[in-house]
Amino acid sequence: MAEFEVPVLSIKNLNKQFGKGCPYCQDEESLVKNYCPVCGTVYACRDVSFDVFPGEVLGIVGESGSGKSTLMQCLYFDQEVTNGEAYLADYHNGEKNLFQESSQQQRYIRNNIMGKVYQNPLLGLKMNFSSIGNIAEKLIAAGNQHVGMMENRGTELLNKVNIPVHRRKEAPKNFSGGMQQRVQIAKALSNRPPLLLLDEVTTGLDLSVQASVLDLIKSLQRELNISIVLVSHDLGVIRMLADRTLVMLEGRVIEQGLTDQILEDPQHRYTQQLVHSLL
Ligand SMILES: Nc1ncnc2c1ncn2[C@@H]1O[C@H](COP(=O)(O)OP(=O)(O)O)[C@@H](O)[C@H]1O
Ligand SMILES: [Mg+2]
Ligand SMILES: [Zn+2]
């Protein structure tokens, strides 16, 4: 990654708290982990900053509750940030803070510049629609109207994620967990976004299915040269796919670097534990 390279996505000092806070938790020392025992406020993301570069897979790893999903929800506007900045190279040349754009503009960004795959396919798919219908929905949201073109694109995408074309009219509710994630991936890629957000996409799948979905992601990433933010509690998943990795703990990024470096020479105590449990 060259230093002069312009990031696809740039996040600066992102904070997300659930709750209003109180005089007691003004002092961070009073928190229990990232939680205020007096007012119940959770400081889910604290001062998170990072860049994602073109064609890069950025891994985010951390234990359950460390703020990974909240961060991804903020990036996809599923949650409103408490404060912070986000810039996309493909949106007004990276000059507008996405978090201050109107909800209409944010919808445009979601539909055209990003794709997201959720751990829970119920959040990413309409289970009773046909699979190709799920893809068409995202194509329509980006302004497509031509039915024949959408059929072609939908078929091409399902083919790319190894869903048999003759099953394109079937609803995802009939599919296995691995196939549902494949349909989500096809949908997320449908408008050729430069950035893909993946939140625990293989968690809960059988190991062999998990491996095949991760392989698919890897080969699509190479083919499309798309940038990916990949979130997982499983360092094994991160190791397989991420070029660079951030480690989150209690809402903060406590360590970051090349994945190989982090695996070989973890600096933070918590990261050392994570790496050791992998061996
Ligand atoms: N909608 C919400 N309301 C209140 N607290 C929440 C909400 N969503 C997440 N949290 C809290 O924020 C913290 C981070 O959660 P999450 O982002 O889901 O972590 P992770 O994905 O790393 O497991 C947790 O303490 C969680 O309980
Ligand atoms: Mg999560
Ligand atoms: Zn408080």
Side-chain angles (χ1 to χ4, degrees), residues 21-22 24-25 36 38-39:
C22 71
Y24 183 74
C25 59
C36 173
V38 173
C39 69

Side-chain angles (χ1 to χ4, degrees), residues 14-71:
L14 186 157
N15 286 286
K16 174 64 182 176
Q17 68 187 64
F18 295 103
K20 284 191 168 28
C22 71
Y24 183 74
C25 59
Q26 295 281 294
D27 177 10
E28 288 203 346
E29 302 283 304
S30 331
L31 296 176
V32 178
K33 294 191 166 193
N34 57 352
Y35 172 78
C36 173
V38 173
C39 69
T41 295
V42 176
Y43 293 84
C45 297
R46 300 198 271 176
D47 244 348
V48 174
S49 300
F50 60 86
D51 290 329
V52 185
F53 291 93
E56 175 182 50
V57 181
L58 179 72
I60 301 182
V61 69
E63 65 192 9
S64 171
S66 56
K68 307 180 300 296
S69 291
T70 302
L71 175 62

Side-chain angles (χ1 to χ4, degrees), residues 132-133 135-155 190-191:
I132 197 163
I135 294 171
E137 199 189 15
K138 180 119 176 157
L139 292 169
I140 290 165
N144 289 284
Q145 292 177 337
H146 194 282
V147 175
M149 236 175 57
M150 289 194 281
E151 285 252 10
N152 288 341
R153 176 75 181 143
T155 305
S190 56
N191 295 316

Side-chain angles (χ1 to χ4, degrees), residues 203-232:
T203 303
L205 300 176
D206 291 346
L207 280 185
S208 63
V209 178
Q210 181 168 347
S212 75
V213 172
L214 292 174
D215 275 345
L216 171 70
I217 293 167
K218 196 178 215 166
S219 70
L220 288 173
Q221 196 277 329
R222 290 208 175 127
E223 180 191 334
L224 306 171
N225 201 34
I226 192 169
S227 302
I228 296 181
V229 182
L230 171 80
V231 161
S232 180

Side-chain angles (χ1 to χ4, degrees), residues 120-169:
N120 180 353
L122 286 174
L123 294 176
L125 296 175
K126 295 218 163 70
M127 284 296 165
N128 294 313
F129 270 39
S130 69
S131 295
I132 197 163
N134 270 283
I135 294 171
E137 199 189 15
K138 180 119 176 157
L139 292 169
I140 290 165
N144 289 284
Q145 292 177 337
H146 194 282
V147 175
M149 236 175 57
M150 289 194 281
E151 285 252 10
N152 288 341
R153 176 75 181 143
T155 305
E156 177 195 336
L157 283 158
L158 288 171
N159 195 30
K160 247 190 202 329
V161 299
N162 309 320
I163 300 284
V165 167
H166 69 271
R167 301 193 68 175
R168 67 188 184 282
K169 298 267 165 73

